[in-house]
Amino acid sequence: MSEHKKILVTGGAGYIGSFTTRLLLEEGYQPTVLDNLSKGHRQAVGEARFIKADLLNKPQLESIFREDSYDAVMHFAALASVAESIEDPASYYQTNVTGSINLLEAMLDCGVKKIIYSSSAAVYGNPEETPIPESHPKNPINPYGETKLAVERILEEAVEPLGLGYVSLRYFNAAGASQDGTLGEDHSPETHLIPRILLAALGQIPQVEIFGTDYPTPDGTCIRDYIHILDLARAHILALEALSPGKAKVYNLGSERGYSVREVIAVAEEITGFSAQGKKIPAAQAPRREGDPEVLLASSDRAQEELGWQPKKSSLEKIIHSAWKWHKEHPGGFAE
Ligand code: UFG
């Protein structure tokens, strides 16, 4: 293991943060989770040390960094729904941008100079080329993407003058659950495609809507690059090793395979046994959802070459299989 042992994990009770926290523990790191539990789940934190705190409470953040020493920060905490960001952009700027500035100021004041940042494919907007390389122009088409890009730029500005070292990870579509079925996705309300398909299969929602069937794609529905949550978590461990003060790195994390909404539903029908019984998961055509790019497909060559990262678990079948186990065994999510 590197010199990075004590890690402060903001948003470690959320979906991607909790999986990464679990992997940090398994690999012998000492993660401390900081989460305000507005979206996250205390049960998802597991054995890790936990501090309930809010990034908008700057004095609280300052005392957290004064009371303990950290080798690096992993910064997951954010509001992360595109649709919600269109309805309420101010909250997104406040939580995602002001919260990140508070965190950076507090950590730098205490001499913590290394951070892994959760960025998003949403910084690219509608792609001009596919698969998307990291050098692609950044043109977000929704406030969520704008806030993720704004923080990337703030990080960039802190490298030279302040000696900050960062790795920014641009996630494509995170999905799936742990193989043992004990950790998974639990958003309220759930807006993501794969969980909504599985909730419809379980009868927990009446149907899944297919948002837009008139996109210029082969079957008219949006194409996304789904990446297994365990592959995402692994990338954070590898990124820790790439961190050093005064150095900036940006990586896309995707599987480099695109699936349309209809294709995802078809694979889910196979995995859930609906097809075998000659049944369909209830689905209905619906208008386009505002802020959705038509195709998002990653080039992850850079992460593969420089970090030695491989998306090993990211076949859509494996992703949906693990998510299905989680949803079947935890119909109430973490609440039960
Ligand atoms: N979709 C449906 N029906 C649903 C839910 C989603 O048809 O009930 C479609 C969406 O229109 C989209 C695709 O399925 O085309 C995937 O949608 P998700 O909501 O699962 O994921 P997004 O692609 O919108 O969002 C993800 C991340 C965001 C990130 C975004 C990048 O969750 O954090 O990718 O644009 F910003």
Side-chain angles (χ1 to χ4, degrees), residues 79-83 119-123 125 141-142 144-145 148 171-174 185 187 190-197 205 207-212 215 221-224 226 259-261 264-265 284 286-289 291-294 296:
L79 294 176
S81 151
V82 168
S119 187
S120 167
V123 300
I141 58 166
N142 51 60
Y144 169 70
K148 287 284 151 183
Y171 313 141
F172 281 65
N173 285 64
E185 192 168 3
H187 297 110
E190 185 52 77
T191 61
H192 295 102
L193 179 64
I194 292 176
R196 284 191 64 81
I197 293 171
I205 57 172
Q207 61 185 18
V208 55
E209 283 83 29
I210 301 173
F211 293 138
Y215 285 100
T221 66
C222 284
I223 293 175
R224 292 287 181 276
Y226 295 90
Y259 290 91
S260 73
V261 173
V264 177
I265 296 174
R288 291 183 179 198
R289 191 173 66 175
D292 275 346
E294 59 202 45
L296 284 174

Side-chain angles (χ1 to χ4, degrees), residues 9-26 31 33-35 37 39-48 50 74 76-77 118 171 176-178 182-187 229-230 232-233 236-237 326 334:
V9 185
T10 78
Y15 178 43
I16 307 174
S18 62
F19 275 83
T20 306
T21 300
R22 182 186 272 195
L23 190 59
L24 284 167
L25 283 171
E26 284 169 10
V33 166
L34 183 161
D35 202 296
L37 298 182
K39 307 269 176 187
H41 306 276
R42 179 66 185 84
Q43 302 92 312
V45 175
E47 303 293 301
F50 176 73
M74 287 190 182
F76 297 93
S118 297
Y171 313 141
S178 66
T182 59
L183 206 53
E185 192 168 3
D186 180 5
H187 297 110
I229 191 77
L230 295 173
L232 276 190
H236 291 77
I237 307 284
W326 160 257
F334 287 102

